[in-house]
Amino acid sequence: MENCVIIGSGPAGYTAAIYAARADIKPVLFTGNIPGGQLTTTTNVDNYPGFPEGISGNKLVNRIKKQAIRFNTKIIDKTITEVRLSNQRGGIHRIIVDKKNIIESKGVIIATGSSPKFLGIDGENKLIGLGISFCATCDGFFHKGKDVAIVGGGDTALEEASFLSKICRKVYLVIRKKSFKASKILQNRILKKKNIIIFFCSQITKIIGNNFLEGIQILQNKTNKIFSISGLFIAIGHNPNTELFKNQLKLDEKGYILVKNGSTATNKPGVFSAGDVQDSVYRQAITSAGTGCMAAIDLEKYLFFLS
Ligand SMILES: Cc1cc2nc3c(=O)[nH]c(=O)nc-3n(C[C@H](O)[C@H](O)[C@H](O)COP(=O)(O)OP(=O)(O)OC[C@H]3O[C@@H](n4cnc5c(N)ncnc54)[C@H](O)[C@@H]3O)c2cc1C
């Protein structure tokens, strides 16, 4: 019988492990098929506190992992394929590993993260972190004074366009539909910005650049045009990794795990959630680490009051 099973090995999962291990609740962490999580898909992380020169995404998450190992976290390189979560306070949760082994635990921390949606264009994958980004807050600064593009017409895309317009020279906003999906207030703000050039009914048909992004081709009204840009921000949404929990936990309309206000508690006793899987708003390494810490403290308190 375990006290604390952590599902996920991004900043949320490993930070939860550091806190749980130091509270002596002996966490067992399952890495899943992306050991280290989303940060392993990027080059430089410049906004994580404590690294004044920046740090590579891989190095950062490996350092958090090392810290979790230092306090004796048991790390298992396997994927969870099913969960049977108890409704009872003090109940036993069953976690199925690789479709065969069942682990029983009094507590579970879910930190399975989310996956950004891709455009599906040639060259996109290879230039992630080399000009292509899913996060203006993370990478906008690298393009200070330069021209960039952003794809998407929802709230996130418009918020990111607004942010980029303050630091970049020109921001091309590429929207597939003939209107915005975002709230009216954001639309009004964007329409007032002189350096945001909007392309409705448009799509990106080509990514230009071999070792780093150099430009894009935009198709509008059957005409292709090429634009030189240093950054392309893809803001067409994220998929939270919650397939496993669909019939087990309360999710919001976008599929993110619902947590109780000001805590990481889900609707099942002893089950807590941290990081991007429960956060459709901030989606940062630091906020994931923060909620990972919260989840471990919440679980430790839950176990204390059971005993
Ligand atoms: C290209 C890119 C660049 C970014 N740059 C920055 C940046 O500069 N600064 C910043 O703050 N943020 C950045 N982010 C965002 C940041 O990476 C995320 O906010 C953060 O990684 C979320 O952490 P997490 O622990 O919640 O989940 P994730 O990092 O998404 O990790 C999820 C983990 O869950 C595991 N998992 C999933 N399903 C299962 C399962 N069934 N069983 C077991 N394990 C499972 C996966 O294997 C993975 O290890 C970037 C994101 C991307 C994609």
Side-chain angles (χ1 to χ4, degrees), residues 7-13 30-39 41-42 44-47 78-80 111-114 116 128 134 138-139 241 244 274-277 283-286 288:
I7 312 177
S9 58
F30 289 90
T31 64
N33 59 1
I34 310 181
Q38 290 173 68
L39 282 182
T41 66
T42 189
N44 234 30
V45 177
D46 252 2
N47 56 4
K78 291 204 162 46
T79 296
I80 303 307
T112 49
S114 70
I128 288 168
F134 297 95
C138 310
D139 298 328
N241 300 322
L244 279 182
D276 283 12
V277 72
R283 293 193 299 244
Q284 298 292 299
I286 184 71
S288 296

Side-chain angles (χ1 to χ4, degrees), residues 93-140:
H93 306 293
R94 293 187 170 79
I95 314 291
I96 292 93
V97 186
D98 278 348
K99 294 191 179 158
K100 0 183 230 273
N101 301 328
I102 300 181
I103 309 266
E104 295 189 326
S105 183
K106 291 181 203 159
V108 180
I109 294 176
I110 300 168
T112 49
S114 70
S115 316
K117 289 185 190 162
F118 285 67
L119 297 173
I121 307 177
D122 279 354
E124 184 184 19
N125 271 319
K126 134 179 136 179
L127 295 182
I128 288 168
L130 297 166
I132 298 188
S133 169
F134 297 95
C135 171
T137 317
C138 310
D139 298 328

Side-chain angles (χ1 to χ4, degrees), residues 54-74:
I55 181 166
S56 93
N58 261 305
K59 271 196 189 149
L60 173 59
V61 81
N62 269 325
R63 289 178 74 120
I64 311 178
K65 176 184 178 182
K66 258 191 175 169
Q67 204 169 341
I69 290 173
R70 181 177 150 216
F71 299 109
N72 295 328
T73 300
K74 190 169 168 191

